[in-house]
Amino acid sequence: MQVPFKLTILGSSSATPTSERYPTAQVLNVLGRFFLIDCGEGTQQQLRRNRINYSKIDHICISHLHGDHFFGLIGLISTFILQGRRSALHIYAHSELQRYIKFQLDFLQLDQTAFPLIFHPLNFKRPQVIVENKKLRVSSFPLKHRIACCGFLFEELPREANIIKEKIAQYNIPIREIKNIKAGAEFITENGQVIPNAELTIPAPKPRSYAYCSDTAYNEAMIDTIRGVDLLYHEATFAQQDTALAAATFHSTGVQAAQIAKAAEAKKLLIGHFSARYKTPAEILRQARDIFPATEAVKDNASYLVE
Amino acid sequence: MQVPFKLTILGSSSATPTSERYPTAQVLNVLGRFFLIDCGEGTQQQLRRNRINYSKIDHICISHLHGDHFFGLIGLISTFILQGRRSALHIYAHSELQRYIKFQLDFLQLDQTAFPLIFHPLNFKRPQVIVENKKLRVSSFPLKHRIACCGFLFEELPREANIIKEKIAQYNIPIREIKNIKAGAEFITENGQVIPNAELTIPAPKPRSYAYCSDTAYNEAMIDTIRGVDLLYHEATFAQQDTALAAATFHSTGVQAAQIAKAAEAKKLLIGHFSARYKTPAEILRQARDIFPATEAVKDNASYLVE
């Protein structure tokens, strides 16, 4: 069975929420652990609505310090404290965020000592690996916004092939050989017969990937970093006729999001962070699809599975 | 036509939000101006959902500095700034709130100079009038909680009677007499006939009132302040079987809320701030109604009109 790699949209408005859209927050379920990406006001309520177990969130990535991307963080941390959390919480953000959270915890006289709260400062100059384990690598990379801002790339790491159990008995394969075969080796039987690796193994599923790019102006510099990504979320605050406004505010149009997706050879594009000036994102979506047909406009509480 | 005096519930959860209930916030429409009472996380979104024009909010009353009662304030103030607000905003709260908001505005590098942001420190020792004009008086009064906490009482002031226009012509009443008649005087015609005031006027509608009591333990000290109130909101965090827990956390049960409503001779009681441990407030409501039948359990986005 394929293990999950699923994105859930908790909020997708731009600066101010609407009755339909919370401020920005997303949660990526990677192999059963949850990465929270941005944390706008109302995130903890949206987590409940989507039945996401708070205790499975160990990592929070904050793209930048505009309020619509992190005003929900103090409420979530307060709830962690009230719930008696014990496990470490890692926050990847601008180094200043630590001062902001510490001020609030002191102000609220909340005792946050029962669990380690670990801040990891982001690098806004160049791409950087921020989490890496046997299964997954998470990197931050610079976006182009009014203030220091990072995107995030989540990549499953290549897994070993699965050995076919019946073949172990059939060729009497010793246990010490299995590791090599999983890594791609052929097998030579006692009487010298060479069994090609392809006969012994089922290839591992292709590693999946997700990239998050919000908030950002049109930014070709990041294309190499996200090249070939399975799923790309790119902000699309404005429609094409408001391109000048997008440039002035360091945001993107749907067309620009689509151009990035196309240039980066993404498999699929999600757009969001729509300005409240548009009643619906229909026009932004249409303009994006003209350039990159595999585009969807996200909705709050919708999930997108990377297959 | 009766002018509005209407309460809208924006949030009614206790410490942490649920998928059904936002943290505490309410808005009272008094004669077309809006008083925001507490401002939990998500308040600005709930204001939009209830189509309440942000620019008609001039007064925000914050009962106490637990996060579930004011985490939405910085987001709302940020939005006021983004929207180019010009009119003064008055905030009635613990004096420390000013330091908290100022820190955040500085941190966010938000320029809040286009409108006056005026903090009024609450008195946690005794009742105090915080707003008074010709039509309305708003008072704060101490509640009994773990930290300094105030309730708020909104009282329409008695209005003059309306003079019946036909009577002015019928008795040839000079303009200089109208003020006295509205204030209750009889009228003596040129030929000495005494016209009783009741024949000349229609009494003004009875002044309406609303009292907000959250968060608080059972607190008889406030009964005199809220006596005879038309509508009373009183927190009811716990069910009767958890009375000890209510006492330990300085909260109330539904029964205690009802006892206060009964002792204060309130016309109607609303209960809320329910602990997330109860799936529904049905039992808390039943226990309260045994003591004070005119009780309702509030729902988010519901409005309650004081007739």
Side-chain angles (χ1 to χ4, degrees):
Chain A
M1 201 192 88
Q2 181 79 310
V3 284
F5 197 94
K6 186 172 80 166
L7 179 72
T8 300
I9 305 297
L10 304 177
S12 59
S13 76
S14 66
T16 55
T18 68
S19 57
E20 300 294 313
R21 295 179 190 273
Y22 280 73
T24 299
Q26 306 187 347
V27 71
L28 185 70
N29 179 346
V30 186
L31 316 172
R33 304 303 297 183
F34 293 96
F35 287 80
L36 183 61
I37 308 164
D38 282 339
C39 187
E41 192 181 338
T43 293
Q44 54 171 331
Q45 190 169 36
Q46 287 291 75
L47 288 169
R48 277 185 201 275
R49 192 166 282 144
N50 287 281
R51 298 178 182 282
I52 290 162
N53 185 338
Y54 286 24
S55 69
K56 289 194 172 168
I57 298 171
D58 301 322
H59 303 276
I60 301 178
C61 302
I62 301 292
S63 62
H64 67 301
L65 299 186
H66 278 156
D68 55 322
H69 291 254
F70 76 105
F71 277 164
L73 194 54
I74 186 62
L76 185 60
I77 292 174
S78 299
T79 296
F80 282 143
I81 295 168
L82 287 176
Q83 288 178 340
R85 181 185 178 106
R86 291 302 185 94
S87 59
L89 181 67
H90 297 269
I91 299 182
Y92 307 87
H94 191 290
S95 59
E96 276 284 277
L97 184 64
Q98 181 165 12
R99 183 170 70 90
Y100 179 83
I101 294 296
K102 188 176 179 321
F103 171 85
Q104 296 209 50
L105 293 174
D106 288 349
F107 184 87
L108 297 158
Q109 300 180 307
L110 283 176
D111 175 23
Q112 186 280 302
T113 51
F115 65 94
L117 180 62
I118 304 159
F119 287 86
H120 304 266
L122 291 175
N123 184 332
F124 296 98
K125 301 279 188 212
R126 58 191 67 83
Q128 190 170 50
V129 174
I130 56 175
V131 178
E132 185 156 22
N133 57 40
K134 272 162 51 178
K135 295 176 175 172
L136 184 80
R137 181 169 53 223
V138 185
S139 313
S140 65
F141 55 91
L143 299 176
K144 194 173 161 186
H145 197 42
R146 294 196 298 283
I147 60 172
C149 186
C150 270
F152 300 100
L153 174 64
F154 300 80
E155 300 171 281
E156 275 190 306
L157 295 179
R159 283 193 277 168
E160 290 179 325
N162 292 307
I163 198 158
I164 301 166
K165 279 192 183 145
E166 291 72 20
K167 298 290 175 182
I168 298 175
Q170 183 183 336
Y171 296 114
N172 198 22
I173 302 176
I175 287 172
R176 66 173 183 277
E177 292 294 331
I178 288 175
K179 195 160 180 279
N180 296 333
I181 294 170
K182 280 185 169 179
E186 58 193 16
F187 177 65
I188 303 168
T189 63
E190 280 170 12
N191 49 22
Q193 189 189 353
V194 177
I195 314 295
N197 184 272
E199 190 191 325
L200 302 173
T201 60
I202 297 166
K206 196 182 154 299
R208 297 163 291 185
S209 57
Y210 170 62
Y212 171 86
C213 303
S214 185
D215 295 357
T216 189
Y218 179 74
N219 176 32
E220 291 184 347
M222 72 193 181
I223 289 172
D224 280 343
T225 303
I226 63 172
R227 190 174 301 284
V229 74
D230 290 313
L231 184 65
L232 169 64
Y233 175 91
H234 194 293
E235 71 129 291
T237 310
F238 293 105
Q240 193 173 14
Q241 57 273 27
D242 295 319
T243 300
L245 197 51
T249 57
F250 289 80
H251 284 295
S252 297
T253 64
V255 166
Q256 291 169 331
Q259 285 166 338
I260 294 291
K262 191 176 178 184
E265 300 164 76
K267 307 288 183 297
K268 185 174 174 176
L269 171 64
L270 300 177
I271 54 173
H273 201 266
F274 307 116
S275 166
R277 77 188 56 214
Y278 312 110
K279 274 199 175 163
T280 81
E283 191 179 18
I284 300 176
L285 177 62
R286 199 169 52 242
Q287 293 169 346
R289 280 185 173 163
D290 278 349
I291 289 159
F292 192 81
T295 303
E296 274 190 60
V298 299
K299 290 182 179 171
D300 283 14
N301 304 314
S303 287
Y304 303 89
L305 206 60
V306 183
E307 302 289 358
Chain B
M1 199 191 89
Q2 181 78 309
V3 284
F5 198 94
K6 185 172 81 166
L7 178 72
T8 300
I9 305 296
L10 305 178
S12 59
S13 75
S14 66
T16 56
T18 69
S19 57
E20 301 293 314
R21 294 179 191 274
Y22 279 73
T24 299
Q26 306 186 347
V27 70
L28 185 70
N29 178 347
V30 187
L31 316 173
R33 304 304 297 184
F34 293 96
F35 287 79
L36 183 59
I37 307 164
D38 282 339
C39 187
E41 192 180 338
T43 293
Q44 54 171 330
Q45 190 169 35
Q46 287 291 75
L47 289 169
R48 277 186 201 275
R49 193 165 282 145
N50 287 282
R51 298 177 182 282
I52 290 162
N53 185 339
Y54 286 24
S55 69
K56 290 194 172 168
I57 298 171
D58 301 324
H59 303 277
I60 302 179
C61 302
I62 301 292
S63 62
H64 67 301
L65 298 186
H66 279 155
D68 56 321
H69 291 254
F70 75 105
F71 277 164
L73 194 54
I74 186 63
L76 185 61
I77 293 173
S78 299
T79 295
F80 282 143
I81 295 168
L82 287 177
Q83 288 179 339
R85 182 186 177 105
R86 291 303 185 92
S87 60
L89 181 65
H90 296 269
I91 298 182
Y92 307 87
H94 191 290
S95 58
E96 276 284 277
L97 184 64
Q98 182 166 11
R99 182 169 70 90
Y100 178 83
I101 294 296
K102 188 176 180 324
F103 171 85
Q104 297 208 52
L105 293 174
D106 288 349
F107 184 87
L108 296 158
Q109 300 180 307
L110 284 175
D111 175 23
Q112 185 280 302
T113 51
F115 65 94
L117 180 61
I118 303 158
F119 287 87
H120 304 266
L122 291 175
N123 184 331
F124 296 98
K125 302 278 188 210
R126 60 190 68 83
Q128 189 170 51
V129 174
I130 57 175
V131 178
E132 185 156 22
N133 57 40
K134 271 162 52 175
K135 294 176 176 175
L136 183 80
R137 181 168 53 223
V138 185
S139 313
S140 65
F141 55 90
L143 298 177
K144 194 173 161 187
H145 197 40
R146 295 196 298 284
I147 60 172
C149 186
C150 270
F152 300 100
L153 174 65
F154 300 81
E155 300 171 282
E156 275 189 308
L157 296 179
R159 285 192 275 167
E160 290 179 326
N162 293 306
I163 198 159
I164 300 165
K165 279 191 182 145
E166 292 73 19
K167 299 289 176 185
I168 298 174
Q170 183 182 338
Y171 295 114
N172 198 20
I173 301 175
I175 288 172
R176 65 172 183 278
E177 292 294 331
I178 289 175
K179 197 164 178 277
N180 296 334
I181 293 169
K182 280 185 171 178
E186 58 193 16
F187 177 65
I188 301 168
T189 62
E190 280 171 11
N191 49 23
Q193 187 188 355
V194 176
I195 315 296
N197 185 273
E199 192 190 324
L200 303 173
T201 61
I202 298 166
K206 195 183 156 295
R208 296 162 291 184
S209 56
Y210 170 62
Y212 171 85
C213 303
S214 185
D215 296 356
T216 189
Y218 180 75
N219 176 32
E220 290 184 348
M222 72 193 181
I223 290 173
D224 280 343
T225 303
I226 63 172
R227 190 174 301 284
V229 74
D230 290 312
L231 184 65
L232 168 64
Y233 175 90
H234 193 294
E235 70 129 290
T237 308
F238 293 104
Q240 192 172 16
Q241 58 273 28
D242 295 319
T243 300
L245 196 51
T249 57
F250 288 81
H251 284 296
S252 297
T253 64
V255 165
Q256 290 168 332
Q259 285 166 339
I260 294 291
K262 190 176 179 183
E265 300 163 75
K267 306 289 183 298
K268 185 173 174 176
L269 170 64
L270 300 176
I271 54 173
H273 200 267
F274 307 116
S275 165
R277 76 189 57 213
Y278 313 109
K279 274 200 176 163
T280 80
E283 190 180 18
I284 299 176
L285 178 61
R286 200 169 52 243
Q287 292 168 348
R289 280 185 173 165
D290 279 350
I291 289 159
F292 192 81
T295 303
E296 273 192 61
V298 298
K299 289 182 180 170
D300 284 13
N301 305 312
S303 286
Y304 304 88
L305 206 60
V306 183
E307 303 288 359

